[in-house]
Amino acid sequence: MSAEIINGRAISDELLMGLKAQIENLRTQHHVTPCLAVVLVGERPDSLSYVTNKDRVAQQIGMASRPVKLPSTATQDEILRAVQELNADIKVHGILVQMPLPSHVDAETVMAAIDPAKDVDGFHDVNVGKLHKGKKDGFTPCTPMGCMVLLHRVLPNLKGKRAVVIGRSNIVGKPMAYLLQEANATVTLAHSGTHDLASVVAEHDIVIAAIGKPEFVKANFIKPKDAIIIDVGINRIERDGKPKLVGDVDFAAVSEKAAFITPVPGGVGPMTIWGLMDNTVKAACAAHNITRAR
Ligand code: NAD
């Protein structure tokens, strides 16, 4: 058996077209153009490529973008000042500070400085609290938000299903577990301290892998026939002397056993960008008291 591929790129493209129409409507009917500010500190090649990608997609859908580039030597105060300027700018609706920040900067302090109403990454304590309480007026972190859409495409009703999230980071694992239980799945949050991970994972219908270890989830982890696998991992490895991007799941082996699987690249990654754009449109509507058209 070979698993059906969940094509995150195609689903993201389709959803971005919907956002493009919403943005056009906001512009013509309300004279509002949603604007995303992306703060990049330093020149890490991976961060630079993520930021360029976000900027490109924003432009494609008619969103305004405001890149703010600071040198890797920027002090914490300089970064905080840049964030405060964006907080105060009524033309800016969403603010994202690209992580990781240089080691001399306290990322928590920077995240806490972003106006929660513009925190389109959903990392501010206010938005984390809203997510945990099931409140809908906050911002959900973009990657788990994208994973839920992918999952719902192949399984609209999660009630009664058992889901395991591997990884307990604040940006992926923990919010993912909250969203799954909100959707009525019965959730296990596994992590580096989990004993006999393969047996734990094998009890579940849905597997979300967010570990950061290349091809870590093997076929023996997976329940035969009907499992759905969402692979969040992005790992750069070298294979046969060439650079290659792989997920946290051993795609070739697991796709022989599961029912559905996301590829890397082309699975969760494009959905994360859609999540960011969607949150920015949501922020713009909230800032201007506009009821969002769907
Ligand atoms: P992280 O390093 O913050 O967290 C990794 C988690 O994995 C930890 O909670 C840890 O407990 C768990 N873990 C580590 N080793 C383990 C083991 N042996 N067994 C079980 N659990 C183990 O990582 P993160 O920020 O959550 O990211 C995870 C992966 O997802 C990375 O590859 C990252 O690049 C990727 N990512 C992708 C997107 C996307 O848009 N596709 C977005 C964010 C992160």
Side-chain angles (χ1 to χ4, degrees), residues 62-74:
M63 187 179 280
S65 66
R66 180 83 63 86
V68 177
K69 290 194 175 160
L70 297 171
S72 60
T73 51

Side-chain angles (χ1 to χ4, degrees), residues 12-205:
S12 164
D13 283 348
E14 171 200 321
L15 293 171
L16 285 170
M17 283 304 102
L19 275 184
K20 187 177 181 182
Q22 286 182 41
I23 291 168
E24 175 65 7
N25 184 57
L26 282 171
R27 198 176 58 76
T28 54
Q29 304 293 313
H30 301 278
H31 311 292
V32 170
T33 301
C35 174
L36 172 66
V38 179
V39 180
L40 175 65
V41 184
E43 290 180 348
R44 279 177 62 117
D46 53 348
S47 294
L48 210 55
S49 118
Y50 291 141
V51 167
T52 308
N53 222 0
K54 288 164 187 168
D55 196 46
R56 182 181 50 79
V57 174
Q59 288 185 22
Q60 275 170 3
I61 62 172
M63 187 179 280
S65 66
R66 180 83 63 86
V68 177
K69 290 194 175 160
L70 297 171
S72 60
T73 51
T75 64
Q76 178 148 312
D77 280 350
E78 285 167 337
I79 299 169
L80 289 175
R81 221 170 301 131
V83 168
Q84 277 146 11
E85 277 171 23
L86 295 169
N87 282 343
D89 188 335
I90 54 165
K91 288 215 161 116
V92 171
H93 303 104
I95 303 170
L96 173 150
V97 177
Q98 184 64 45
M99 299 290 163
L101 288 169
S103 56
H104 65 274
V105 180
D106 180 37
E108 274 297 326
T109 305
V110 174
M111 275 187 256
I114 297 173
D115 178 349
K118 297 188 179 188
D119 168 41
V120 285
D121 251 343
F123 296 163
H124 192 286
D125 288 356
V126 167
N127 288 314
V128 175
K130 285 186 175 182
L131 177 71
H132 287 210
K133 283 191 145 187
K135 293 188 174 177
K136 303 287 179 236
D137 62 336
F139 294 105
T140 302
C142 309
T143 301
M145 189 172 154
C147 291
M148 288 305 288
V149 173
L150 295 180
L151 203 46
H152 276 131
R153 284 289 169 115
V154 295
L155 187 67
N157 186 0
L158 307 192
K159 193 173 176 184
K161 296 294 176 189
R162 297 196 65 193
V164 59
V165 181
I166 319 174
R168 56 179 159 185
S169 72
N170 289 332
I171 63 167
V172 187
K174 285 183 204 162
M176 190 70 227
Y178 269 91
L179 291 175
L180 286 163
Q181 59 83 25
E182 276 280 313
N184 288 322
T186 302
V187 183
T188 303
L189 184 52
H191 45 74
S192 51
T194 301
H195 177 64
D196 194 4
L197 184 67
S199 308
V200 171
V201 174
E203 292 169 1
H204 293 80
D205 310 296

Side-chain angles (χ1 to χ4, degrees), residues 143 167-169 171 191-192 210-213 216 232-234 268-269 272:
T143 301
R168 56 179 159 185
S169 72
I171 63 167
H191 45 74
S192 51
I211 313 159
K213 295 198 167 150
F216 183 84
V232 180
I234 301 177
V268 174
T272 296

